C-alpha cells in the first residue's frame, strides 16, 4: 500500500519504499532515520520574503502572502500560473542548493560547510522580481538568476581568488552577497530586449551559452556569456514557457503556453514544430525525475482535498518496458503547506535527494534511500 502521511505529520525520508514521517520538523528525526545510514543530515532552511523575521522550526510562520501570489500568479499573462517556474536548483557537482526566497533575492545553502555558517543571500538593485535560476555547468560556483529586465550572473569569491567583472559591464556590478559563508559577487547583468521579464533559463551542457526566454517576447535569446552578447532566435514563439538544452548540446527544446513546442538543431538553429492537441496536461502541476530514472516526483492541482499540497513519489522500473508504481506521498511542514518548487540533486552518490520549497517558508531535503548496498 502507498504510504500516506497523516495531517499534522511531516515527511523525513524514504527508506526502501517506506516514506518515514515525524510529528514535527527537527534535526533529531533526521539523525534517527537516514542520518545513521548516510552519516550526515540536511537541515531545513527557513526562508521568507524581505518583510518580517524568518520562521524557525519551533514557530512556523508563512512567508508574506504578496510574495506567494506574485510567484504563482504574475499579473502580465493569465496562463503563466500553469508554468513550473524553476525556483530551486542544485549545483551539478556539489552539495550546494540555491532557491528563490523573496521577491528580489536568492538564498544559497552549502551543505558541505563543516563550520555551519549562515546561508548566503544574493540581492542587488538590478535583481527584481526573480522567477528562475540555474547553476552553470563546468563553471565553478556560478549562478544565473532571471529577473525583470535581464539576468544576474553571480560567482563565488574565495580568499585570493575574486571573480572578475566583465569589461564594459554596468557600474553597479561587483556587489557582494550577505551572510557568513562563501561570498558571491555579481559579475554581470545581461539585459533583456525591452527590459522583458525573463521566465525561462537553460545553460548549454558545456556552460558556454545561456538560453533565456520570456512570456512577453516572440523570441528566445542565446547568450555568449563570456562576451555578454545575446543573439535572438525568432520563430513566432510568443508565450515561451520552457527552454531546455539536450545533454549533448546538439539539440534544443522550446515550448509555448498553448502546448506546442519546437525541437531545434543547434548547429544551424533549424527547428521542427510539434504540437499537443490538449495543450497543458490538466491535473499535473510540477514534475521532477531523478538522474537514475528510478524516482519520479509529481505534484497535482485541482485534486481531492485529501491529497492537496502533497508530492507523489513513484518507483520507476524498466523490465523491459517502463512502468511506475506509487510509493506514497510527501507532506511538508506547517499549516496546509504547498510545494512552490522542487528539484532532484543528481550527483549525490548515496541516492536521490529531493529538495522542496514549501509555502510554509521552509526548504526541506528528503533523501530517497532504496539501494541495497546503502542499507545496513
Amino acid at each position: 500500500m502507498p504510504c500516506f502521511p497523516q495531517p499534522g505529520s511531516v515527511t523525513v525520508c524514504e527508506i526502501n519504499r517506506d516514506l518515514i514521517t515525524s510529528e514535527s520538523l527537527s534535526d533529531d528525526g533526521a539523525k534517527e532515520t537516514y542520518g545513521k545510514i548516510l552519516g550526515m543530515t540536511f537541515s531545513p532552511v527557513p526562508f521568507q520574503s524581505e518583510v518580517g523575521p524568518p520562521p524557525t522550526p519551533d514557530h512556523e510562520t508563512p512567508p508574506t502572502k504578496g510574495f506567494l501570489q506574485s510567484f504563482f500568479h504574475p499579473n502580465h499573462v493569465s496562463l503563466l500560473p500553469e508554468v513550473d517556474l524553476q525556483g530551486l536548483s542544485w549545483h551539478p557537482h556539489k552539495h550546494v542548493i540555491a532557491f528563490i526566497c523573496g521577491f528580489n533575492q536568492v538564498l544559497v545553502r552549502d551543505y558541505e560547510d563543516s563550520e555551519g555558517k549562515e546561508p548566503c543571500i544574493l540581492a542587488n538593485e538590478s535583481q527584481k522580481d526573480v522567477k528562475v535560476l540555474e547553476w552553470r555547468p563546468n563553471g565553478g560556483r556560478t549562478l544565473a538568476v532571471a529577473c525583470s529586465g535581464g539576468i544576474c550572473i553571480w560567482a563565488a569569491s574565495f580568499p585570493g581568488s575574486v571573480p572578475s567583472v566583465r569589461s564594459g559591464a554596468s557600474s553597479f556590478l561587483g556587489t557582494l552577497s550577505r551572510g557568513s559563508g562563501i561570498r558571491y559577487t555579481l559579475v554581470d547583468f545581461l539585459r533583456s530586449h525591452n527590459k522583458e521579464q525573463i521566465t525561462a533559463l537553460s545553460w548549454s551542457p558545456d556552460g558556454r551559452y545561456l538560453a533565456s526566454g520570456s512570456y512577453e517576447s516572440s523570441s528566445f535569446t542565446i547568450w555568449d556569456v563570456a562576451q555578454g552578447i545575446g543573439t535572438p532566435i525568432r520563430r513566432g514563439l510568443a508565450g515561451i514557457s520552457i527552454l531546455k538544452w539536450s545533454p549533448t548540446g546538439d539539440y534544443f527544446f522550446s515550448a509555448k503556453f498553448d502546448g506546442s513546442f519546437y525541437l531545434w538543431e543547434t548547429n544551424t538553429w533549424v527547428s521542427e514544430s510539434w504540437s499537443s492537441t490538449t495543450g497543458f496536461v490538466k491535473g499535473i502541476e510540477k514534475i521532477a525525475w531523478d538522474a537514475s530514472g528510478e524516482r519520479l516526483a509529481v505534484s497535482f492541482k485541482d485534486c481531492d482535498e485529501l491529497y492537496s499540497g502533497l508530492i507523489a513519489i513513484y518507483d520507476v522500473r524498466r523490465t523491459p518496458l517502463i512502468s511506475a508504481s506509487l510509493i506514497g506521498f510527501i507532506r511538508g511542514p506547517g499549516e496546509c503547506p504547498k510545494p512552490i518548487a522542487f528539484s532532484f540533486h543528481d550527483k549525490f552518490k548515496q541516492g536521490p535527494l529531493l529538495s522542496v520549497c514549501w509555502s510554509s517558508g521552509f526548504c526541506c531535503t528528503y533523501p530517497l534511500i532504496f539501494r541495497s548496498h546503502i542499507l545496513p
Side-chain angles (χ1 to χ4, degrees), residues 141-218:
R141 298 197 186 196
T142 301
L143 182 70
V145 179
C147 52
S148 178
I151 307 164
C152 290
I153 305 294
W154 295 85
S157 298
F158 299 94
S161 178
V162 178
S164 59
V165 175
R166 180 174 58 83
S167 176
S170 301
S171 59
F172 58 77
L173 299 179
T175 301
L176 292 175
S177 59
R178 304 196 304 269
S180 59
I182 293 176
R183 305 298 296 273
Y184 284 79
T185 301
L186 181 61
V187 296
D188 207 347
F189 184 74
L190 307 175
R191 296 187 183 276
S192 59
H193 182 65
N194 293 331
K195 299 183 179 180
E196 297 159 345
Q197 169 74 60
I198 302 299
T199 53
L201 280 181
S202 182
W203 286 99
S204 62
D206 60 5
R208 178 180 177 182
Y209 298 109
L210 176 64
S212 67
S214 171
Y215 58 78
E216 300 174 328
S217 175
S218 61

Side-chain angles (χ1 to χ4, degrees), residues 30 97 106 120 200 216 277-278 281 288-289 293 295 301 303 309 358 372:
I97 191 172
V106 170
C120 287
E216 300 174 328
T277 56
T278 58
V281 180
W289 206 328
R295 286 296 181 268
K301 59 184 176 182
C303 58
W358 296 98
S372 59

Side-chain angles (χ1 to χ4, degrees), residues 28 51 64 96 134 203 222 228 241-242 267 301 311 341 344 357:
D28 291 337
V51 180
T64 60
V96 179
E134 185 172 310
W203 286 99
I222 302 297
S241 59
I242 299 173
N267 287 326
K301 59 184 176 182
I311 298 176
F344 279 103
C357 288

Side-chain angles (χ1 to χ4, degrees), residues 58-304:
D58 296 329
H59 181 65
E60 298 171 3
T61 58
T64 60
K65 184 177 180 182
F67 165 60
L68 292 180
Q69 285 182 335
S70 173
F71 191 87
F72 283 119
H73 303 283
N75 298 322
H76 301 289
V77 176
S78 60
L79 288 176
L80 194 57
E82 306 287 350
V83 176
D84 178 14
L85 297 176
Q86 190 178 351
L88 181 153
S89 179
W90 276 98
H91 190 280
H93 304 293
K94 299 181 179 296
H95 303 329
V96 179
I97 191 172
F99 61 89
I100 300 170
C101 63
F103 285 115
N104 309 322
Q105 63 185 30
V106 170
L107 186 147
V108 178
R109 174 71 162 87
D110 185 355
Y111 285 103
E112 297 178 347
D113 176 20
S114 60
E115 299 180 6
K117 295 180 180 178
E118 296 178 359
C120 287
I121 300 295
L122 311 185
N124 181 270
E125 61 183 30
S126 63
Q127 185 173 281
K128 298 179 180 179
D129 200 10
V130 177
K131 298 296 184 188
V132 190
L133 49 80
E134 185 172 310
W135 290 101
R136 183 179 191 175
N138 304 317
R141 298 197 186 196
T142 301
L143 182 70
V145 179
C147 52
S148 178
I151 307 164
C152 290
I153 305 294
W154 295 85
S157 298
F158 299 94
S161 178
V162 178
S164 59
V165 175
R166 180 174 58 83
S167 176
S170 301
S171 59
F172 58 77
L173 299 179
T175 301
L176 292 175
S177 59
R178 304 196 304 269
S180 59
I182 293 176
R183 305 298 296 273
Y184 284 79
T185 301
L186 181 61
V187 296
D188 207 347
F189 184 74
L190 307 175
R191 296 187 183 276
S192 59
H193 182 65
N194 293 331
K195 299 183 179 180
E196 297 159 345
Q197 169 74 60
I198 302 299
T199 53
L201 280 181
S202 182
W203 286 99
S204 62
D206 60 5
R208 178 180 177 182
Y209 298 109
L210 176 64
S212 67
S214 171
Y215 58 78
E216 300 174 328
S217 175
S218 61
S219 66
F220 61 89
T221 301
I222 302 297
W223 296 90
D224 184 330
V225 177
Q227 303 297 323
I229 299 174
T231 302
I233 307 294
R234 300 186 183 275
R235 185 64 182 271
L237 296 173
I240 292 175
S241 59
I242 299 173
L243 298 174
K244 192 68 176 178
W245 292 84
S246 70
T248 60
D250 297 330
Y251 295 95
F252 185 81
F253 175 88
S254 64
K256 298 169 58 175
F257 286 99
D258 62 5
S260 63
F261 56 92
Y262 293 82
L263 187 63
W264 303 77
E265 192 278 315
T266 57
N267 287 326
T268 60
W269 289 103
V270 174
S271 68
E272 183 176 353
S273 177
W274 298 64
S275 65
S276 167
T277 56
T278 58
F280 293 107
V281 180
K282 298 299 181 181
I284 295 179
E285 187 175 50
K286 297 177 178 67
I287 187 169
W289 206 328
D290 90 286
S292 73
E294 298 179 74
R295 286 296 181 268
L296 184 68
V298 181
S299 65
F300 303 92
K301 59 184 176 182
D302 302 328
C303 58
D304 187 279

